[in-house]
Amino acid sequence: MPTVLLTGFPGFLGSALLPRLLARTPYTQARCVVQPRHLAAARRRLSGIEADHPEMAGRTELLEGDVTAGDLDLRPTDRDRVLAEVTEVWHLAAVYDLAVGEQVARRVNIGGTARVLDLCARLPHLERLHHVSTCYVSGRFAGEFAEDALDEGQELRNHYESTKFEAELLVRKALTDGLPATVYRPGIVVGDSVTGETQKYDGPYFLATFLRRQPLVALVPRLGDPDRVRVSLVPRDFVVDAMDRLSALDASLGRTYALTDPDPPTVREVVDTFARRLGRRVVWLPLPVAPTRRLVGSVPGAEALLGLPAEALEYFASPTTYATTHTRADLAGTGLECPPFASYADRLIDFMVEHPEVGSAAMT
């Protein structure tokens, strides 16, 4: 019987991925490792999934644990059942926060991946580990970052990037040592392309918040060339659909996939699109990147006032684009393609305006 072990539930991607995995066969079972403090939210999310998909009821078990501990801190009976039953592991648990501190980032993003790899090495029926990384292991790499690239001597901007980079290095080493694995690198994940739904307002939503806090004429910092710098946005539904499709292919074993828009919008296109939907007119204000980041990060209350964390500013001058060669080749003929930004951007803004209760805090 196919049995999936999933970390990162009830997070943004894990919540959408779970029903797709269960839909593969009527016999697929899922075991979700959930921290005690997230159990209540996980139960609510699972109840919603089962209400929407009655055929999936009773096929998912929430296991109290912690990916940063040995045996994922599972109870001995749960650990023994995992070792005996699990055929597939999806590792999504991570701290997705540009401003995360080094200690937390290393404990969760690197330590959590190491503990998952330790467990995978002991799973006698394991067919595949699916590791969710990020395009931004590229750091400040200048040019197009290939899917097969990883350690190119690039400078990494923050603890989020550096720890996701190191975590992927661990997975690459395990692959070399014989562990069956596939790596997925989403770009900047935004809400659903159809409904706009999201669980967290970060990434480009910081820009939308920044615009909303300004009068009808909005001053926007020009930190790089807004007509050359690309923003690698990708809606959640494409990411989870692509992972679901690609993970079922024999050809995906050992591969790395960049899951992002192959023709991403420029900074100007993102700013103008959001501003138009919010009824703002943009005036660009040329500013140097490094001093602006230092100023915003050091002045008390500046980030809260702007709605824009200092760490996000550098991405408006990013020198990197991302090849999606493997992704497009292996999805060819399926009808699944990343939708263009212009086709769903208004839905992102509309959802944000209609749902002020959603926050920007990362799930840790």
Side-chain angles (χ1 to χ4, degrees), residues 17 26 55 71 98 114-115 141 178 187 225 248 319 340:
L17 180 63
E55 74 281 4
D71 289 337
L98 299 180
R115 299 292 81 74
F141 181 85
D225 185 340

Side-chain angles (χ1 to χ4, degrees), residues 264-330:
T266 63
V267 167
R268 186 183 299 277
E269 288 169 337
V270 174
V271 170
D272 285 350
T273 300
F274 282 179
R276 184 166 50 249
R277 192 63 173 178
L278 292 167
R280 303 296 193 272
R281 183 169 69 85
V282 171
V283 174
W284 293 90
L285 180 64
L287 292 171
V289 177
T292 302
R293 175 181 172 171
R294 284 196 298 271
L295 180 65
V296 173
S298 61
V299 174
E303 292 177 310
L305 179 65
L306 296 174
L308 193 66
E311 290 78 9
L313 293 172
E314 283 196 62
Y315 294 87
F316 290 96
S318 174
T320 316
T321 59
Y322 299 94
T324 58
T325 307
H326 295 334
T327 300
R328 288 183 289 116
D330 289 354

